[in-house]
Amino acid sequence: MRFPDGFRWGVSTSSYQIEGGAPDDGRGASIWDTYCATPGRVANGDTGTVACDHYHRWAEDLDLIRDLGAQQYRFSIMWGRVLPDGTGAANPKGLDFYDRLVDGMLERGLEPWPCLYHWDLPQALQDRGGWVNRDSAGWFADYTELMLRRLGDRAKTWVTFNEPSVCAWVGNEEGRHAPGLTDPRAAVRVAHHLNLAHGRAVGLVRDLAPGIPVGFVLPVHTGRPLPQFADRDAHLVTLFEDKWNGVFLGPVHLGRYPDSVLDRFAPHIQVGDMAEIHRPVDYQGVNHYFPTYLSPAEGTAWPFRIVEPPKYLRRTEMNWGIDGHAFYQALDGLRRDYGNPPVYVTENGAAFLDIPGADGRINDQDRIAYYRDYLAGMHRALSEGADIRGYMPWSLLDNFEWAHGYNKRFGLVHVDYQTLKRTPKASFDFMRRVMHENTVPMTGE
């Protein structure tokens, strides 16, 4: 299983999950600081106050990425670290941190992929209505301009948003993520305002940094009915995928919301919105982990509910089903339904119960098996014509896994949360070999 010449390999992380340094150097509070401080929201009362202490250990982490053989590093900028109040005066020390980080990548031969938003909205902006407030698109544009002017001379690929669907639906409809709202109508407004903010940011990249690629990242879901109800529930799959995929892919790539959800969005669309959102992007970022199984639901905002995968399917510690064919279907769907945009897989990985051996190493063969299965699914989509340009596993480090706290580990590198020692796992060695075999000509094989 070889990938084409020019295929790019990288790795991904996010700011709140690894940086820590919460009280340091003028960082403003984020909605995740508030969410973590609310009793019962996060497992064990865990917070991202220290996390992996990447804020102070970034050089060690960049060395790990270089040693992995990665070419690209997708990281996120914490909005509140550079703009403590979300708008207004910038924080010089926060900007300096990202200067050092980007310069450190370039010194190690890594391509910086800054992501402007990975869920950590400044709390000061949430206090002004957050993404429910249409003004949020303007706040985001001002923040985007600040970062483009600061890093645009060195960072040559940009990501506007990571998983806006999770921000809208999980954070504002289900309440399982920050800011913890449970308002389905507000969540629709959030989704539209995120799309609008993305479009404005793309416009700024075109104006301030012409020629620099920009796109956004979406968790592209593959919905499925339970096998015993395949005929009865097939229509639920369409609506589920329209909600999770089409609401974001449709306006950007096709210039419209899916027909099945248009009545929900129409009241919030103003003149010029769709043209602003429908600016061409240079690539589509794809995150994918598992297939989603569905059953009918009554008395809820949407007529379906997510259920456990069938018992015959292997599962991760997140109770997510393992099925590389679902990954293939997600990638093939972009080729079939959205004009076959250039795709970078920006997250893919699995949490397992990692137990160090007597030598302190973690022989995570279950994670390696997962990666083999999903790389095969990606390779099939590529061989059938999907325009896939690169792959970044999730994640470099074990980290703060949102509402699960530190209970779930996705990293290629084990982090001891008491000492913060980093130890590469067997999956790190596996992924290093995959990257090496597909970037350096091999002899004798």
Side-chain angles (χ1 to χ4, degrees):
M1 188 166 58
R2 298 294 295 272
F3 290 83
D5 292 344
F7 193 88
R8 308 297 285 173
W9 299 90
V11 70
S12 292
T13 66
S14 89
S15 52
Y16 192 82
Q17 291 181 273
I18 68 168
E19 277 186 10
D24 296 341
D25 297 335
R27 167 167 105 62
S30 82
I31 55 174
W32 271 96
D33 294 311
T34 303
Y35 193 82
C36 291
T38 306
R41 291 292 202 182
V42 177
N44 308 313
D46 291 341
T47 76
T49 301
V50 176
C52 304
D53 197 31
H54 177 74
Y55 187 69
H56 300 105
R57 298 168 183 256
W58 59 268
E60 177 184 1
D61 294 337
L62 294 185
D63 287 346
L64 286 166
I65 298 171
R66 178 199 58 204
D67 295 346
L68 179 65
Q71 299 156 305
Q72 302 167 330
Y73 176 35
R74 185 182 73 111
F75 65 103
S76 73
I77 298 165
M78 187 176 290
W79 189 340
R81 195 177 289 284
V82 298
L83 285 167
D85 295 321
T87 58
N91 175 21
K93 291 185 178 179
L95 292 168
D96 288 346
F97 168 69
Y98 293 109
D99 273 333
R100 293 193 299 273
L101 189 62
V102 167
D103 288 344
M105 294 177 214
L106 296 175
E107 289 166 4
R108 292 163 176 81
L110 302 171
E111 301 168 18
W113 276 52
C115 175
L116 289 161
Y117 190 76
H118 199 127
W119 306 349
D120 43 11
L121 186 73
Q123 182 59 44
L125 296 184
Q126 185 63 37
D127 294 341
R128 295 163 65 181
W131 293 109
V132 179
N133 186 341
R134 186 180 169 91
D135 290 345
S136 57
W139 304 334
F140 188 73
D142 291 343
Y143 159 57
T144 298
E145 181 173 355
L146 171 70
M147 298 315 303
L148 280 170
R149 292 191 183 281
R150 186 72 177 213
L151 301 179
D153 61 329
R154 288 158 288 159
K156 299 304 183 183
T157 303
W158 287 74
V159 183
T160 58
F161 285 92
N162 177 79
E163 300 192 347
S165 54
V166 174
C167 176
W169 308 133
V170 182
N172 290 272
E173 181 180 77
E174 301 174 17
R176 295 187 292 111
H177 277 192
L181 302 183
T182 54
D183 186 339
R185 292 183 179 179
V188 169
R189 293 169 63 188
V190 167
H192 182 62
H193 296 159
L194 289 166
N195 284 338
L196 188 60
H198 160 79
R200 290 187 182 177
V202 170
L204 281 166
V205 173
R206 302 295 183 229
D207 291 342
L208 299 177
I212 286 183
V214 61
F216 78 105
V217 167
L218 193 73
V220 180
H221 285 276
T222 304
R224 291 177 178 170
L226 289 170
Q228 64 268 37
F229 301 118
D231 293 334
R232 184 195 72 182
D233 296 342
H235 67 289
L236 299 178
V237 172
T238 299
L239 183 57
F240 168 81
E241 292 185 354
D242 282 351
K243 175 188 177 183
W244 279 91
N245 302 340
V247 160
F248 303 93
L249 295 172
V252 171
H253 293 284
L254 307 177
R256 63 181 185 272
Y257 284 105
D259 291 342
S260 64
V261 301
L262 185 56
D263 60 331
R264 299 174 188 247
F265 282 84
H268 311 298
I269 301 172
Q270 296 185 12
V271 175
D273 282 4
M274 299 312 294
E276 193 159 23
I277 298 168
H278 186 41
R279 288 188 166 112
V281 293
D282 299 293
Y283 68 88
Q284 179 61 57
V286 172
N287 296 350
H288 187 87
Y289 292 90
F290 56 92
T292 304
Y293 287 85
L294 307 165
S295 280
E298 297 181 359
T300 58
W302 302 83
F304 54 77
R305 61 188 179 93
I306 296 172
V307 296
E308 288 195 8
K311 294 187 181 300
Y312 61 76
L313 213 58
R314 293 177 298 129
R315 306 185 193 192
T316 70
E317 279 292 300
M318 298 288 287
N319 203 32
W320 295 344
I322 300 173
D323 187 351
H325 183 66
F327 190 25
Y328 157 77
Q329 290 175 308
L331 295 167
D332 188 62
L334 285 167
R335 177 192 63 80
R336 183 184 64 245
D337 300 331
Y338 293 99
N340 200 21
V343 164
Y344 286 89
V345 175
T346 42
E347 289 183 26
N348 175 236
F352 290 102
L353 187 61
D354 294 334
I355 301 175
D359 59 355
R361 294 270 293 167
I362 291 174
N363 186 23
D364 53 337
Q365 292 299 317
D366 41 11
R367 184 172 287 108
I368 291 172
Y370 176 98
Y371 277 127
R372 288 186 186 279
D373 190 14
Y374 279 68
L375 287 170
M378 179 175 69
H379 191 271
R380 178 185 172 188
L382 185 65
S383 68
E384 293 181 8
D387 188 7
I388 307 167
R389 307 283 182 90
Y391 176 86
M392 306 177 199
W394 181 270
S395 177
L396 175 68
L397 304 171
D398 292 337
N399 56 45
F400 176 80
E401 188 51 42
W402 307 113
H404 297 281
Y406 295 99
N407 286 344
K408 309 299 183 184
R409 294 177 177 268
F410 281 81
L412 299 172
V413 177
H414 177 269
V415 177
D416 183 320
Y417 294 123
Q418 299 302 311
T419 66
L420 297 175
K421 179 182 178 182
R422 279 84 159 132
T423 305
K425 305 174 188 178
S427 57
F428 181 97
D429 297 332
F430 167 79
M431 195 58 67
R432 177 167 54 189
R433 179 168 175 80
V434 169
M435 293 183 184
H436 177 73
E437 289 182 349
N438 286 281
T439 55
V440 178
M442 300 294 287
T443 59
E445 294 187 10

